[in-house]
Each structure stands twice: as structure tokens, then as C-alpha cells.
Amino acid sequence: MSATIDYNKYEAVIGLEVHAQLLTESKLFCNDSAAFGGAPNTHISPITLGHPGTLPRMNHKAVEYAVRLGLACHCEIAQENYFARKNYFYPDLPKGYQVSQHTAPICNGGYVAITTATGERNIQLNRIHLEEDAGKSLHDQDPANTLVDYNRAGVPLVEIVTEPDLFNADEAYAYLTNLRRLVRYLEVCDGNMEEGSMRCDANISIRLKGATTLGTKVEVKNMNSIRNVKRAIENEIKRQIEIVETGGAIVQETRSFDASNGSSFSLRSKEEANDYRYFPEPDLAPFRITADYLESIQRALPALPDELVQKYTRQYGLPEYDARVLCDDKATADYFEQVITVAPQHKAAANWLLGPVKQYLNEHSCGLEQFPLTAAALAALIQLVEAGKVSFSIASSRIFPEMIQQPGKTPLEIATALNLLQDTNVDNISPIIDEVLAKYPGKVAEYKAGKKGLIGLFVGEVMKLSQGKADPKLTNQLLAEKLK
């Protein structure tokens, strides 16, 4: 079928809905733990279960986190706010309704910047609103019954809804990557899609290129990684084009993505907003966001990735690649900032983090949170190299591993104990240079004839014979003098 279809005459229009669980200690409307995990139905109370006579009470920290995210996404923050009941029946919804801000979001508009093949672009947001999570239905624990775990019910969420402003799977991938990085920097969500603390639904339609009206949209759910969101979107675009090209019609529906085979299947016809019968939550008073409250949150916002990239490239002179990798996660950026407060050699610090440190983390499958060296210890090692007391090669291959094994010792102590400090004595280095030049008379002649690049060969041989201890700068200087 696909061989006869011109897929390129169509374009996709995509909107994403991302649910992010907020990192509060308790749930949105009660003191039950919001922690991930725990035995089934242990993080519950009569309020979580919606027992008659119980009353919700709003979690102020959840409101703060929503505002923090809204400000970082350039949203307009609504001053007057209230919650509404979204009515629908499902076994994992203990009250028979969900308390949400869908009809009156706390954050309106805004955008998230992404980098595309054609340059920078701002993905426009429709809104960010607060709501409570549902529980979890377990279909594979019992052969005859569906079991329900209400631990997750009532955990605070923000739902981040884009406009239909994405046009291919790569843009969706870039948007989700940047959004996850943003919520982690803000420390409002851990962004772990595998644990369900960040979940994405994609609304996808197609139209002929050049058309301005939107096609019939299909919502795709149950994607547990950013990569699978990309795969699901690619699959759905292809499926819709093939339906239209063979004379069929797109049906508005909700589909589930099966990551094992890269296909999707229909779950249900799509509900409209009026099916939920929204009305204001009578048990929760409206709340107001004051200008002073907004200003206090704005002042407390950390430096965000795009801002740090500009700082590292413009102020510190780092290559953009280095800056973006350093800012890829907050832990790395924070560690880098701590290192350069002690060792202000910015490029050297970046080289260590992107080289030996990153290699160690990859080999041990851990993050900087588990890295055994403090930023001050790494800074001391950098300064030892910058002072010319050891070479980078010796520092990375000999001293760095010893520091990890003996984190209580300074790099200078280790270098001294292992006799690794560079030799700056001319009387010691000069005979080694004479030996190298005597070993390569032909290369010496070529150097004198104009092949100045051979200086690297001579330096390398001197370093080898001195077991890496000869000072490279002094070695270069002495070689240049002897080769005149």
C-alpha cells in the first residue's frame, strides 16, 4: 500500500497534553503521602476515598509549584482561581469525579522554546492547570478481576496543554525533552515517564500541505517514554494518511499505543467537554494569587537552561555544544557552578565534566548525586593541572582514579605519594631530550628542513621516557632551543 501513496503531500498538526506529578510531600487536598510506590492502598484516607462527610483542604505548595512552572513558561497567571468537578465514572476514580481547574486554568498562554532543523521556535501553550490524579487499575494481578490501587488518587498534577502548534514527531520529541528538563530544573516534578510521574497524550490530525483548516483529531495515550511518543506520532500520521488515501474517513477517537510492536488500537470514541458536566467544586473556596506572592516566586526562580547556555557561551567563552551538554540536567550545571567558584578555569572544568567525570558516571550507571568526589576536590585537581604540577594525562589516568578510591586525600597528597609531580628541573629534562634527538636523526633533519609539526613527536617521546613527569611547557621550550 505505502508504495503508491505520496505521504509528502500531507502535513500533521499535533497538540500535546502533558500531566506532571508535582513533588509535594502530600496530596492535593489532604495529608496522605504523595510518594511514589508503597504497598497498594497504604497512602489513603477517608478523604482520598471520598467518604461522605469528608472535606478537602488545598495544598498551598502545589499552587506555588504551578505558578513557578507558569512563570518559567512565560504564562499569564490568573489572579482569581477556583476548582471544578469533572464528572465521569471509572473504577480508579474513588469519588466518581475529578477535582480540576480545566475550566479556569491558573496559567494561560505562554510557550516552551525548542530547537528545530530550521532554527529556534516557541511552541505556544494554551494553558497549565492544577488537578488531582486518579488511582491505578491493575488488570494483570488477578485472573478474573481488575484490582485498584488508590495510592496515586489525589496526588497533585499540573496539566500542560499546547496549542496545535507542532508539525512532526521530531518537534514533539524536542518539546518534551525541553519540558522535562524545565520541570527538573524548577524541582516541581522528577520527570520520570517510566514511573508515570510525567505522562503525555498526543492529539494528532493531518491535512494537505497549504490547507488552513484542521483535520479530525485522534488522541493517542499510554506512551511511557519520550522516544515512544515520537514513535506513536509517526505511526499515527502514517495510519491517518493511509486511511484518507484509500477513501476512508478519520474517526475522532482515543487510541492506545503498543510499544512492543509500534502500533495503536482504539480504546473509545472521544468525549466532548460537555460530557463531563463541569460545575464549581462546592467544598473548596476560590483562591486569589496576589502580586506580592507572584513577585516572591519570580525572585526565587533558579537560572534556567537557556539562560545558563547564554551565560556559559557569552560570559565564559565555552563552545555551544559544551554549554548545552552541561545544562542538560540541573545536577551537572549545579556541580559545574560549584567547581568554577574554586577553579575559575571554565573550559578546563567543562573538559573534566564532559570527559573523565562523564565516563565514570556512564561506566557506573549513576548520576552526579552518587559521584564520590565533591566539586571542591575536582576543582583542586584542575588547579593542580593548571599550575603545571601534573599533566592532564597523569591527572586523569592516575590521580583521578586514586581520588575516587581515597576521597579523603587531596590530589596533591596523592600526586606526591605516587611520585607524579612534574619535573621542572632543566638538568633532569635536558639529557632526556638529547637521547630522543639522538634516536631520531632523520626526523631532526626533516624538522630543520621545515616540518615543524614533528615537534609533537619529540615531545611525546620525552614524555614517554620521563614517565609523564617532564613539564610539557619546559620540554617544548628546551626542544625549540636544541633544534635551532
Side-chain angles (χ1 to χ4, degrees), residues 129-203:
H129 66 261
L130 275 162
E131 63 186 22
E132 61 179 347
D133 208 346
K136 188 174 183 180
S137 295
L138 305 170
H139 306 293
D140 56 356
Q141 305 292 308
D142 185 278
N145 299 288
T146 290
L147 307 182
V148 182
D149 179 7
Y150 288 123
N151 279 351
R152 199 173 70 183
V155 168
L157 299 175
V158 282
E159 183 174 358
I160 306 131
V161 183
T162 75
E163 297 288 1
D165 195 33
L166 299 132
F167 301 105
N168 56 58
D170 289 330
E171 288 189 351
Y173 186 96
Y175 168 81
L176 287 172
T177 300
N178 283 9
L179 182 62
R180 180 170 65 181
R181 184 185 299 119
L182 186 61
V183 298
R184 286 175 171 172
Y185 261 81
L186 294 168
E187 297 180 331
V188 299
C189 174
D190 61 25
N192 292 332
M193 293 188 74
E194 297 80 5
E195 294 180 358
S197 55
M198 183 169 155
R199 309 191 290 275
C200 178
D201 301 333
N203 293 293

Side-chain angles (χ1 to χ4, degrees), residues 18 35 55 112 155 180 192 250 297 302 309 311 322 334 368 373 385-386 463-464 468 470:
V18 175
L55 288 173
V112 172
V155 168
R180 180 170 65 181
N192 292 332
I250 308 297
I297 295 177
V309 167
K311 175 183 174 183
D322 289 11
D334 287 347
L368 273 168
L373 295 186
V385 176
E386 293 298 309
M463 298 305 291
K464 192 184 299 180

Side-chain angles (χ1 to χ4, degrees), residues 376-421:
L378 184 66
L381 181 56
I382 292 170
Q383 289 185 311
L384 203 63
V385 176
E386 293 298 309
K389 293 185 177 179
V390 294
S391 67
F392 174 81
S393 174
I394 289 294
S396 58
S397 63
R398 301 286 303 280
I399 302 174
F400 180 69
E402 281 298 318
M403 289 176 67
I404 288 172
Q405 295 300 318
Q406 305 179 66
K409 288 193 173 182
T410 68
L412 181 58
E413 288 171 341
I414 291 172
T416 303
L418 297 178
N419 194 26
L420 297 174
L421 291 175

